[in-house]
Amino acid sequence: MRVDRRGLLLGGAAATLVPAAARAAKVQLRIATPMAAPEWAMLQRKLIARNAEACEAFYAKYVDKRDHLLVFERWGANDGPDDAAEATNDWAILHALGAPDRILTLTQRFWEGHLKQYAATRTVDVPIARAGMYHRDFPVQMDWQHNSEGLTTFNVLGLSAPRDPALIVRTRRFADFYTGHDPSVRNYDPAHRVIRSVMNGSRGPMLRDATALDWAGDPFEAGERFHMEHGESTYQQTLDHYVEYTDVVGDNPLNLQATTLALNAYALGGGERYRRWALEYLDAWVSRANANDGIVPSKVGLDGKTAADWWGGVYGWGFSPVVPQTGERENRNRVPRSITAFLNGTLLTGDSAYIEVWRRQNARINDAGRQRDGKFETPTMYGADGWYGWKPGPYRLNGFEIWYVTQRADDLELAGENPWVSFLLGKNETYPVEALNADLARIAEREKRMREDTTTRDTRLADWPLDKTPASVRSLIQLMTGGMHIARPPWSSTSPNQGGVVLHCRLRYFDPEKRRAGVPQDVAALVHMLGDTSTEVTLVNLGKVARTVVVQGGAYAEHRIETVTLEGQEVAVGRRDFTLRLEPGCGARLGIGMRRYANAPTLAFPWDR
């Protein structure tokens, strides 16, 4: 083992990323072997089409001609701008997988429309939003549980539109709210490597105790005129929900999700300084975890030092506020959500040491486990009296994310059972058809909710449409790309509800004839196996016209494809992607040898690199 410049323990040689400009000769392959149309392939194409149809219907019902969401606009962590932004969650990914261009157009239109809608919406009582809930197209001041949720769509738009000037400008602007490059917004202190408050945004950090009003928003007819997703029946209960949400000054690991903005700014061509900042900030937290017995602390002072009550702070290890409806305390530790930043670190460096921090933390929590009534249990919370929040069995939170990066058998064992992973291991052959049918059923259920919804713009809050927005892409991400769908709760039984996460996958596809992201018309893909240095995928053309598809290693072209084996013949590739021509009605299973996380991340399309 050795220690690198960040003080991380590393094994083996240091990762050396290949710049985006580095490329070997283009590789073109051809599949001309007839293949009977597999059931999974027909269902996959059907699911893409049904998604697009249902999204059109949702847009017609819940979005007006100005591209504003038809809801009662208000500020608040329960039902504020971040919830409005989530109305088109997964639509951008749907397009990037191969849905019609119309879906991308609607997604972009809605994003622009909701920005104007909430920039023009003002509070009366909440001080920070009296001039608008968005400033410079970004939330004025909110925590990163909610900021990240509101950025769920924005953070994946680059998959389909990496040359969009507005996206490029906004991504850099948003990132610079945190890099320190924008002197008008002092969220970040570079001297101490801290984001200075749990509450931050385009108008800077909150450097005082937060009030319930800051979180809950102006008075409104909660529980009378509006359904409340969190169960409150009065506005007073909404205030009481947040009465203990005061401790916001100083840094919190949820703020690490701001590194996603820097990752995307870098991948969209913004330059090395975005990568440097993301790693500088992330490395500070790595050091804090190392000094805190392997646990990422949840409270860091303005001086950059971990607080004596390291478990403190809003959404920290010891955050168990009272639920006003019941009078009982509820555990709301959101530290596990910050794993997304450690995944970002892996993308930006190719260095598995970042996810190793999370492996050590999970091991430390499991070491704190105990036997009770003859059964093993582990904690999920920590306070002044030590560990609490005990749950049966080993601590598995984020286990599949850890395994996805490491591909280690022992990490998979710790992660627990998952039907998709069982399929990848050859133990669950029916999973593809079952998963695709489940997503088709999910769309049908959401269409039913839309049809039966009798609310109006004046009687629904921004979170009301969220269980009706129909995009259902989990099976598509898993089966087509060999990827994780962390945004939809839960992608596994051991993953938290998570917003704003980028796509982590093994393969991506592009249509070189239409010059867009996603598989061409009539083409379907099924990833059968994932290994540390290998992937197996079947590609099939269900149509009567030949199709050409570019196959790329990873969402950000981060994986280097070394070889492709087709019908017993191995072809050297040695680059980020290869091109495949699929004759009509033909398909084959390909074995792909790869070096994961070998390339610097880029969102540029293959023909633009």
Side-chain angles (χ1 to χ4, degrees):
M1 301 296 284
R2 64 183 180 81
V3 179
D4 80 344
R5 64 175 179 83
R6 299 182 301 278
L8 300 174
L9 291 175
L10 305 176
T16 303
L17 296 186
V18 179
R23 56 189 301 156
K26 187 176 181 179
V27 175
Q28 292 183 299
L29 303 173
R30 177 172 176 260
I31 293 177
T33 303
M35 175 181 283
E39 184 180 7
W40 61 262
M42 293 186 291
L43 284 172
Q44 192 176 100
R45 295 305 314 184
K46 179 180 178 181
L47 178 56
I48 291 173
R50 287 285 292 116
N51 265 305
E53 176 185 317
C55 288
E56 288 269 12
F58 178 91
Y59 209 90
K61 183 177 180 70
Y62 292 105
V63 184
D64 68 16
K65 293 181 179 179
R66 300 168 298 170
D67 299 311
H68 289 193
L69 190 64
L70 287 166
V71 296
F72 180 79
E73 302 98 340
R74 64 181 308 275
W75 175 264
N78 275 12
D79 45 49
D82 66 292
D83 292 289
E86 291 184 89
T88 56
N89 275 4
D90 287 332
W91 292 29
I93 285 184
L94 179 63
H95 176 269
L97 292 170
D101 286 336
R102 170 72 172 167
I103 297 302
L104 177 61
T105 298
L106 291 179
T107 305
Q108 293 171 319
R109 276 176 46 187
F110 178 74
W111 183 260
E112 297 295 330
H114 106 281
L115 289 179
K116 294 181 176 68
Q117 180 178 6
Y118 280 88
T121 306
R122 291 160 167 75
T123 57
V124 174
D125 295 343
V126 178
I128 196 65
R130 287 174 181 156
M133 298 179 185
Y134 281 154
H135 173 61
R136 300 171 68 191
D137 300 334
F138 197 82
V140 289
Q141 194 177 79
M142 187 49 73
D143 70 287
W144 268 91
Q145 171 171 312
H146 296 92
N147 283 343
S148 65
E149 289 172 353
L151 290 168
T152 298
T153 291
F154 181 81
N155 283 348
V156 294
L157 280 172
L159 296 173
S160 287
R163 299 181 69 179
D164 178 6
L167 176 66
I168 293 169
V169 168
R170 282 195 182 114
T171 303
R172 294 179 188 181
R173 181 196 308 147
F174 295 175
D176 282 335
F177 290 153
Y178 297 93
T179 63
H181 197 73
D182 184 339
S184 69
V185 185
R186 298 186 59 206
N187 287 311
Y188 184 65
D189 176 358
H192 297 105
R193 296 193 292 175
V194 294
I195 291 176
R196 301 164 68 209
S197 176
V198 173
M199 301 283 270
N200 54 72
S202 57
R203 293 197 183 276
M206 178 180 286
L207 297 177
R208 58 167 172 81
D209 283 355
T211 67
L213 177 67
D214 293 320
W215 290 91
D218 290 357
F220 69 113
E221 295 143 288
E224 303 169 31
R225 176 175 160 195
F226 303 104
H227 170 78
M228 300 297 292
E229 290 292 325
H230 292 266
E232 300 91 344
S233 59
T234 64
Y235 174 66
Q236 185 59 52
Q237 283 188 347
T238 305
L239 285 173
D240 291 345
H241 178 102
Y242 292 105
V243 74
E244 296 180 67
Y245 283 57
T246 57
D247 189 3
V248 300
V249 178
D251 211 348
N252 179 292
L254 280 175
N255 288 333
L256 277 162
Q257 293 176 95
T259 61
T260 300
L261 296 172
L263 164 64
N264 280 338
Y266 175 74
L268 288 168
E272 179 66 20
R273 70 178 180 85
Y274 291 105
R275 178 180 179 274
R276 276 198 308 269
W277 175 79
L279 297 178
E280 170 189 289
Y281 183 50
L282 180 54
D283 290 348
W285 280 97
V286 171
S287 297
R288 291 163 190 151
N290 289 342
N292 194 48
D293 198 21
I295 303 293
V296 175
S298 58
K299 185 176 180 181
V300 172
L302 293 174
D303 58 2
K305 297 179 180 179
T306 298
D309 58 334
W310 59 264
W311 56 85
V314 172
Y315 292 134
W317 286 101
F319 191 61
S320 301
V322 171
V323 177
Q325 301 95 294
T326 65
E328 298 178 356
R329 293 198 173 274
E330 181 178 271
N331 296 334
R332 296 182 190 152
N333 173 15
R334 301 293 187 258
V335 174
R337 293 190 178 207
S338 61
I339 192 175
T340 184
F342 294 80
L343 296 171
N344 292 344
T346 303
L347 278 171
L348 286 165
T349 65
D351 198 335
S352 62
Y354 285 107
I355 209 67
E356 181 65 24
V357 174
W358 226 256
R359 291 183 77 250
R360 290 200 303 268
Q361 178 171 276
N362 276 21
R364 174 70 181 83
I365 295 171
N366 276 310
D367 287 345
R370 69 186 185 188
Q371 291 288 333
R372 184 181 181 188
D373 297 330
K375 296 181 180 180
F376 184 67
E377 60 182 13
T378 47
T380 59
M381 307 290 294
Y382 191 95
D385 296 325
W387 292 106
Y388 69 103
W390 299 90
K391 292 187 176 181
Y395 183 84
R396 300 189 188 277
L397 210 58
N398 300 129
F400 277 100
E401 289 89 335
I402 294 170
W403 164 79
Y404 192 82
V405 173
T406 68
Q407 290 292 292
R408 288 174 45 163
D410 55 341
D411 286 333
L412 180 56
E413 184 178 354
L414 288 170
E417 293 294 324
N418 179 279
W420 172 51
V421 178
S422 294
F423 164 71
L424 294 174
L425 297 174
K427 301 177 182 179
N428 188 5
E429 293 182 359
T430 60
Y431 179 75
V433 168
E434 291 171 355
L436 291 161
N437 276 322
D439 272 344
L440 285 166
R442 183 177 185 267
I443 293 172
E445 173 60 28
R446 293 193 165 219
E447 288 175 320
K448 181 175 182 287
R449 292 175 189 172
M450 280 192 273
R451 290 193 300 270
E452 295 176 351
D453 182 11
T454 60
T455 63
T456 66
R457 179 228 176 255
D458 292 324
T459 61
R460 66 172 80 107
L461 298 173
D463 57 357
W464 177 256
L466 298 188
D467 67 351
K468 301 164 189 67
T469 187
S472 300
V473 299
R474 177 189 292 170
S475 64
L476 298 176
I477 291 173
Q478 291 178 344
L479 301 175
M480 294 177 71
T481 75
M484 297 188 293
H485 185 215
I486 305 175
R488 185 172 130 202
W491 91 273
S492 78
S493 60
T494 63
S495 300
N497 178 1
Q498 181 78 50
V501 183
V502 302
L503 178 62
H504 294 274
C505 67
R506 191 63 67 92
L507 300 174
R508 268 191 77 197
Y509 310 97
F510 299 86
D511 184 338
E513 295 179 4
K514 292 189 175 180
R515 312 292 276 186
R516 55 154 290 177
V519 291
Q521 183 179 343
D522 300 323
V523 172
L526 177 62
V527 173
H528 299 269
M529 187 276 288
L530 300 178
D532 184 21
T533 60
S534 59
T535 303
E536 292 183 12
V537 61
T538 292
L539 285 154
V540 60
N541 179 2
L542 301 176
K544 297 181 180 180
V545 177
R547 302 293 181 186
T548 301
V549 59
V550 176
V551 182
Q552 173 181 285
Y556 288 79
E558 69 271 21
H559 305 319
R560 175 184 169 94
I561 297 174
E562 302 288 11
T563 61
V564 175
T565 301
L566 174 60
E567 297 177 342
Q569 299 296 312
E570 183 178 283
V571 178
V573 178
R575 53 181 283 147
R576 296 169 182 261
D577 56 71
F578 64 93
T579 301
L580 185 67
R581 177 181 170 89
L582 285 158
E583 299 299 336
C586 293
R589 183 161 173 164
L590 288 72
I592 301 175
M594 55 183 17
R595 181 182 163 205
R596 296 184 303 126
Y597 305 111
N599 299 321
T602 178
L603 285 166
F605 285 169
W607 44 86
D608 290 331
R609 290 198 281 265

